[in-house]
Every structure is written in structure tokens, then in C-alpha cells.
Amino acid sequence: INTAVFISGRGSNLKSLYNFSKKKISPIKIILVFSNNKNAAGLKYAKEKNLYSIYLRDKKIKILEIRLLKILNKKKIKLICLAGYMKILSYNFIKKFKGKIINIHPSLLPKYKGLNTHNRVLQNNEPFTGCTVHFVNNKLDSGKIILQKKIKVLRNDSIKKLSKRVLNEEHKIYPKAIIKLFS
């Protein structure tokens, strides 16, 4: 399945998905890496792995999305994996894309949608948190859940420690969700 990975930062989930894509059990082939951030470390990683990578930015979101859709169609992309992509896709883009769009989020949705999830989890003294892979729809972090992983919040957790443990689980769950999706 021709896959695009959308990133905004370091690309740790991109690395995990790339490694997964090289395994026999993987149904995906990463054809394209897109970023809205020209300084994203994940773009450097994509270049190292000889993955077709692009940075696009336009003040007019509609124009950017039209350009992006043309590239996705040309590359015959059927799956978009959002992996730390920090922009909200428009309903129009989601509707026009002829494939599936999935996202990984660092909380047990429907709790803690949006940003600063680990901070909110700790402030609210949650006993558990985790990560969720879900379909993208027109509402933020509200699409149908594909897979979740629950982890215990530890007494000595800081935002940094908790973030690192959740990210480690994200790297495991994203490939499992893709296998579940296409098996």
C-alpha cells in the first residue's frame, strides 16, 4: 500500500514506520514524506533513507492542500500516516483524498484531545494514559479508534519521562494498527 507519512518534527514515528515497512509482515511502502516544517529533523532522516520528501508551505491552506493532493494522486498514495504532524487537515482535504488517513495521538482518546496531553494527564492525577491510533475525520482527534495502548502513570513521572514512555509505546502500536487495518 503506497503510503505517505506527514511529519512536523523529529520524525521518531517516521523512523518506526520506515523500519516496519521493511519487514515482510508490513503491508505498506513509504513513497512520500511530507512536512510543513522545513527544519523538521524527520526530513533529514527521509533523505538519508532515499525517501521522496517534500516541504510545502502556503499561507493559503486551500492552495497548499490542492498542491499536496496532486502529488499524492501522482504517487498513487492510498494511506496517509500522520506522525507528529502538527497541522489540522481541512475537511475538504480529508474528503478529496482517495484513501485512508490515520493518526497517532499520545493519550487514551477520547480523553485529552489536542495539545499538551501529558501535562493535562499529570495535572489531573490520572492513574493511566497511553496512545491511540485512529482514523482522521473532520473533528480533532475524534475519528474511529483502530487501536490503543494503556500505560500506568508512575508516581515520579514528569512530562518528559511520561512523554518518553508513551512515545516508546507509539512506536509499537502504530505498526500493529496498520496490520489490523489491512488484515
Side-chain angles (χ1 to χ4, degrees):
I1 297 146
N2 287 357
T3 302
V5 180
F6 286 21
I7 63 169
S8 291
R10 67 183 171 244
S12 72
N13 268 305
L14 166 63
K15 292 174 189 174
S16 172
L17 289 172
Y18 175 78
N19 291 334
F20 167 64
S21 76
K22 296 300 178 189
K23 295 181 179 177
K24 276 188 176 178
I25 59 165
S26 175
I28 66 168
K29 180 178 183 185
I30 298 174
I31 302 293
L32 170 106
V33 176
F34 164 70
S35 183
N36 63 320
N37 173 5
K38 69 179 175 187
N39 298 315
L43 285 177
K44 290 176 190 142
Y45 176 81
K47 286 184 175 108
E48 287 170 17
K49 297 298 179 186
N50 294 316
L51 295 170
Y52 179 77
S53 58
I54 56 170
Y55 156 74
L56 289 177
R57 190 170 168 154
D58 198 304
K59 287 181 181 171
K60 295 180 181 164
I61 294 293
K62 195 173 183 178
I63 291 171
L64 178 132
E65 289 184 345
I66 289 167
R67 290 171 60 200
L68 190 52
L69 280 166
K70 283 180 185 174
I71 295 167
L72 294 170
N73 287 332
K74 185 178 176 188
K75 297 284 185 185
K76 296 179 172 61
I77 301 297
K78 295 296 175 205
L79 175 67
I80 295 173
C81 294
L82 303 182
Y85 184 65
M86 301 306 286
K87 288 285 181 187
I88 296 171
L89 299 172
S90 75
Y91 176 67
N92 199 38
F93 179 90
I94 295 166
K95 194 171 69 176
K96 286 186 176 182
F97 177 68
K98 303 291 185 229
K100 293 175 170 59
I101 305 174
I102 61 176
N103 183 41
I104 183 110
H105 184 75
S107 78
L108 293 173
L109 293 175
K111 278 188 163 186
Y112 304 110
K113 298 173 184 178
L115 300 174
N116 305 313
T117 54
H118 305 304
N119 185 34
R120 292 185 286 155
V121 163
L122 292 172
Q123 280 182 341
N124 292 327
N125 294 312
E126 293 286 352
F128 295 98
T129 189
C131 49
T132 305
V133 179
H134 64 94
F135 287 103
V136 173
N137 65 13
N138 62 331
K139 292 183 182 159
L140 180 67
D141 296 328
S142 297
K144 183 179 175 201
I145 292 170
I146 301 165
L147 207 57
Q148 289 185 308
K149 174 65 178 175
K150 183 176 174 180
I151 67 166
K152 189 167 178 37
V153 176
L154 304 176
R155 205 175 298 162
N156 67 340
D157 269 336
S158 63
I159 293 170
K160 189 175 181 178
K161 286 179 184 176
L162 185 59
S163 172
K164 189 174 181 180
R165 289 192 310 110
V166 170
L167 186 62
N168 188 43
E169 294 304 323
E170 287 180 29
H171 295 163
K172 296 174 191 172
I173 192 177
Y174 218 159
K176 288 178 183 175
I178 291 169
I179 289 171
K180 181 180 178 184
L181 193 59
F182 292 103
S183 60

